[in-house]
């Protein structure tokens, strides 16, 4: 996976430079049909250093397209074994509670800055407790139908688009953005802008 260095930059979709993009070079088709609503889906793992380093860049992208497409974060269970699966459930619970940004920041910070490696679900319980969510509440939500359905959707999309590494972005459920020619946020924005126009 190409390491990208994102930097903060002010830009406008209206001033993006026109670039010619090609299938197999700049993007791949990973599904026959696109979604009915415009979306950008980020596949990531809390254990992935690239996902951590690109987090701010992806947030800038989400902000840029907020009026044009829904930005969906899709944690995968590909890394970390059972702990990877538990991290998916933790993120699903955070979505249920509307604190996904806070939980995401805490987990990434603990793993990549403080170098605390999760060894059990107690790691995630501690994260939620630090944000005011009791262990009892977390454990109740952990096995709920809503949480289980969200994790099943994460896994279904990962399998459907044949995601084997992270981070990856899939636009409109059909186009996988390739990073070969991506060097910064502007490059990503230009490619996504193009992919959103494809049939």
């Amino acid at each position: 996976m190409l390491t990208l260095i994102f930097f903060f930059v002010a830009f406008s979709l209206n001033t993006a430079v026109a670039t010619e993009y090609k299938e197999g070079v700049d993007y791949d088709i990973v599904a026959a049909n696109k979604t009915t609503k415009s979306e950008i889906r980020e596949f990531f793992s809390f254990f992935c250093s690239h996902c951590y380093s690109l987090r701010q860049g992806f947030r800038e992208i989400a902000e840029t397209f907020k009026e044009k497409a829904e930005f969906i974060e899709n944690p995968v269970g590909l890394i970390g074994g059972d702990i990877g699966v538990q991290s998916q459930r933790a993120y699903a619970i955070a979505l249920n509670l509307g604190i996904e940004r806070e939980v995401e920041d805490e987990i990434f910070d603990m793993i990549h800055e403080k170098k605390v490696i999760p060894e059990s679900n107690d790691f995630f319980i501690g994260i939620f407790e630090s944000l005011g969510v009791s262990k009892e509440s977390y454990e109740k939500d952990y096995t709920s139908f809503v949480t289980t359905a969200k994790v099943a959707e994460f896994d279904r999309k990962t399998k459907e688009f044949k995601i084997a590494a992270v981070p990856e972005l899939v636009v409109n459920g059909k186009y996988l953005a390739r990073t070969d020619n991506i060097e910064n946020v502007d490059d990503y924005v230009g490619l996504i802008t193009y992919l959103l126009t494809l049939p």
Side-chain angles (χ1 to χ4, degrees):
M1 179 61 62
L2 178 66
T3 300
L4 309 178
I5 301 178
F6 282 140
F7 54 87
F8 181 79
V9 59
F11 50 76
S12 167
L13 292 178
N14 296 326
T15 60
V17 178
T19 303
E20 182 178 350
Y21 298 103
K22 296 181 180 180
E23 180 186 346
V25 176
D26 302 292
Y27 66 93
D28 294 319
I29 296 177
V30 293
N33 301 306
K34 71 176 190 178
T35 52
T36 55
K37 294 183 179 180
S38 296
E39 71 170 42
I40 304 163
R41 185 176 291 266
E42 176 203 353
F43 292 87
F44 77 97
S45 167
F46 288 108
F47 305 96
C48 165
S49 59
H50 292 317
C51 298
Y52 175 63
S53 64
L54 301 180
R55 180 177 51 158
Q56 185 57 42
F58 285 142
R59 286 182 175 176
E60 292 177 25
I61 289 170
E63 181 67 19
T64 299
F65 290 98
K66 66 179 181 180
E67 302 298 331
K68 295 180 178 293
E70 181 182 9
F71 193 94
I72 303 169
E73 292 182 303
N74 194 127
V76 303
L78 301 172
I79 304 173
D82 290 341
I83 301 297
V85 175
Q86 290 170 4
S87 74
Q88 287 181 297
R89 284 194 170 268
Y91 187 75
I93 294 169
L95 285 173
N96 297 343
L97 299 175
I99 57 172
E100 61 272 17
R101 177 64 64 90
E102 293 87 346
V103 168
E104 180 181 310
D105 286 345
E106 285 294 322
I107 294 176
F108 270 127
D109 184 67
M110 289 291 286
I111 294 175
H112 297 282
E113 294 297 330
K114 298 178 180 175
K115 308 301 181 184
V116 177
I117 306 302
E119 296 182 352
S120 73
N121 203 34
D122 288 341
F123 171 89
F124 301 105
I125 291 173
I127 295 288
F128 278 80
E129 286 182 325
S130 73
L131 296 171
V133 179
S134 69
K135 178 180 179 179
E136 292 74 17
S137 177
Y138 177 89
E139 291 180 335
K140 181 179 180 180
D141 215 356
Y142 189 87
T143 56
S144 72
F145 173 79
V146 174
T147 298
T148 300
K150 281 185 170 66
V151 174
E153 176 72 356
F154 296 152
D155 289 339
R156 186 177 73 81
K157 292 296 183 180
T158 301
K159 182 177 181 180
E160 178 182 348
F161 301 140
K162 299 178 176 64
I163 302 299
V166 288
E168 297 282 21
L169 290 184
V170 174
V171 177
N172 285 348
K174 185 175 181 178
Y175 304 103
L176 174 70
R178 297 181 62 164
T179 60
D180 305 61
N181 299 315
I182 300 293
E183 295 183 359
N184 52 51
V185 172
D186 273 339
D187 290 344
Y188 240 137
V189 167
L191 176 56
I192 292 169
T193 299
Y194 172 77
L195 295 177
L196 286 169
T197 68
L198 294 182

